[in-house]
Amino acid sequence: MLISYIYTRPPQGRRSARSKALARSGNRYSILMWLFQKLRILSISDLSSTGGAAIAGNRISDALRRNGAEVIQLSADGRNTKEQRGLFNGKKFSALQDLLSPLVSASKAKSLRDKNLNHQIRQFLQKERFDAINIHNLHSAGWPISLVSTALEFAPTVWTLHDCWSFLGSFYPTHCPASDRTHVLELNSFWRSIKCSPSRHSLIAATPSEWMDKQASSSHWNGFKVQTIQNPIPKSFFEPLDRESCKKTLGLSLETPIVLSIAGNLNEERKMSVLSRLTLKMPKNMVHKDSLMSHILPSPRYEAGDENKSMMERSVANVSG
C-alpha cells in the first residue's frame, strides 16, 4: 500500500536513527523513495477547496508531491491546470437535459448524468494512465458511487473516508439526515457488484481515526483492508506563538475562555449545536455572557504547498492550543 506509506512517513526532522541509516545505506527506504518518484497518482474529490474533507485531501496530495510523486487532483470545481482538472456535465449535456426534462423521469435523468460522468472519467483514465487513485468525498458534487467502480478498472484505489457516506449513505450514524431509500439501494447495489465480481484492481479504505476505522470495518467494508491514517497537518501549525498575542490579533478577550469550532456550516446539527447543548450542562459560574459568541474569521482558499500562513490564520491554531 505505497500510497499509505508515502503520506504517513515521519517528517524529515523526526526520523529515527534506524530510518536515517536505511536511507544512507540505500536499501529499502531509498528504494521506496525511488518508487514514489515514479508514481502518478490521481486524487478525486467532489470539491477542491470547500470543506474540511477538501482541505485534508489537498494536504494529502501536497504530502505526496513533497515525496516525489506526480499528483493530479480531479474535482467538480477544479481548474484546468497542470495539477488540477475538472469533472462536470458540460453545457451541451446540460442544455439537452433541460430540453428533455419534461419528457424524462427524475431517476432516468440521474442515470443519464451518472453515465455521462463515468464516460468522461473513463476517457480521462484511458488517456492519463495512473499508478494509483486516491478517492475522497463524492457526495457534495452529486457524483455517483459508480465512479469508484470505474476507477477500479484502471488502478489500485484508496478511498479516504472523511465520513460514513461510503457505507451508510449519510455523513454519520447520528446528528445528521438519514440517507434516502434510493441512495441506500444504489449503495447496496455497488457493494454487491464489488463483492460478487472482483475488480481488476484492489480497493482499500484509509480512515483518519480509529473510530471511523471501527465503523467502516463493521459495515460493507468488512472483508476489505481498512487502515487508520491520520490526516497530515502542516508543520507551520505548530510554530510557537504567544497565546495572549494571538488573542489580541483575533480581537478576543484575554480573560474569557475560548472554545474554537471550525466548520463550513456551524448550523449543522452535528457541529455547533452540540457545543451549544454542552454549555447548557455546564455550571452557571463557568458560562460567561459572551461564551456563545460567534467569531467569524476570514477563510482564504487553501493552496496545496502553501505553508506561508498569515499571522491571523496561525493565531487561530494557537488560541486554544
Side-chain angles (χ1 to χ4, degrees):
M1 191 176 174
L2 291 178
I3 197 169
S4 301
Y5 179 90
I6 196 169
Y7 70 80
T8 56
R9 185 175 64 86
Q12 193 76 8
R14 297 184 181 182
R15 285 166 54 197
S16 66
R18 173 178 169 77
S19 64
K20 290 179 181 178
L22 285 171
R24 286 194 299 269
S25 64
N27 50 29
R28 182 174 64 88
Y29 182 85
S30 297
I31 292 172
L32 281 172
M33 287 304 297
W34 179 83
L35 287 172
F36 296 155
Q37 292 171 6
K38 304 294 182 181
L39 279 178
R40 295 192 77 236
I41 300 171
L42 175 66
S43 173
I44 301 177
S45 178
D46 47 16
L47 301 174
S48 63
S49 60
T50 304
I55 292 174
N58 285 335
R59 290 175 181 165
I60 290 170
S61 294
D62 188 31
L64 291 166
R65 291 188 185 105
R66 284 200 305 270
N67 283 277
E70 178 189 351
V71 182
I72 292 179
Q73 294 174 261
L74 184 72
S75 61
D77 57 352
R79 297 170 295 176
N80 189 22
T81 66
K82 180 181 178 181
E83 295 182 344
Q84 288 192 22
R85 299 289 191 281
L87 176 65
F88 48 85
N89 288 308
K91 292 182 179 179
K92 291 182 179 179
F93 182 88
S94 298
L96 181 61
Q97 180 178 310
D98 291 341
L99 182 65
L100 297 177
S101 58
L103 308 174
V104 179
S105 65
S107 59
K108 182 63 176 178
K110 181 183 183 305
S111 176
L112 291 173
R113 288 196 303 271
D114 293 351
K115 287 181 179 178
N116 183 52
L117 289 171
N118 274 291
H119 174 71
Q120 287 187 58
I121 198 169
R122 184 174 283 108
Q123 285 190 318
F124 177 69
L125 291 172
Q126 287 173 339
K127 178 182 177 182
E128 293 292 340
R129 299 293 179 182
F130 293 95
D131 299 299
I133 298 173
N134 185 196
I135 292 177
H136 297 279
N137 280 0
L138 301 176
H139 48 73
S140 292
W143 286 350
I145 195 171
S146 56
L147 290 183
V148 180
S149 299
T150 302
L152 287 169
E153 296 174 16
F154 296 90
T157 300
V158 177
W159 195 342
T160 301
L161 308 185
H162 301 282
D163 55 32
C164 302
W165 184 84
S166 70
F167 53 93
L168 290 182
S170 57
F171 302 139
Y172 292 99
T174 60
H175 299 95
C176 68
S179 179
D180 61 77
R181 182 175 179 274
T182 300
H183 181 64
V184 171
L185 291 174
E186 182 182 353
L187 202 64
N188 292 338
S189 175
F190 164 79
W191 284 107
R192 276 197 305 271
S193 66
I194 291 292
K195 293 175 180 178
C196 296
S197 305
S199 55
R200 179 181 173 187
H201 297 286
S202 61
L203 175 63
I204 298 171
T207 67
S209 67
E210 295 288 348
W211 178 86
M212 185 66 76
D213 188 320
K214 292 177 182 177
Q215 295 292 314
S217 297
S218 61
S219 70
H220 289 296
W221 283 99
N222 184 27
F224 293 82
K225 183 176 178 61
V226 179
Q227 182 172 344
T228 299
I229 306 174
Q230 281 76 26
N231 290 330
I233 301 174
K235 290 186 292 185
S236 60
F237 276 45
F238 300 100
E239 294 178 11
L241 295 175
D242 179 71
R243 187 174 299 184
E244 287 193 2
S245 297
C246 292
K247 286 188 174 183
K248 289 179 180 178
T249 300
L250 299 172
L252 301 175
S253 167
L254 300 181
E255 306 299 329
T256 305
I258 303 297
V259 175
L260 177 62
S261 178
I262 301 175
N265 181 8
L266 289 175
N267 293 320
E268 288 186 39
E269 169 68 15
R270 60 196 172 95
K271 295 176 181 175
M272 189 60 183
S273 59
V274 176
L275 293 177
S276 300
R277 287 201 302 272
L278 287 175
T279 59
L280 295 176
K281 296 181 181 180
M282 294 171 61
K284 291 184 178 180
N285 64 339
M286 293 182 63
V287 180
H288 295 259
K289 63 180 181 180
D290 56 349
S291 291
L292 298 181
M293 170 187 66
S294 177
H295 196 88
I296 307 301
L297 299 173
S299 179
R301 188 179 189 281
Y302 175 83
E303 296 291 346
D306 177 20
E307 292 188 353
N308 299 317
K309 301 299 180 184
S310 67
M311 178 64 179
M312 177 73 78
E313 294 172 273
R314 286 183 285 130
S315 294
V316 172
N318 282 273
V319 164
S320 57

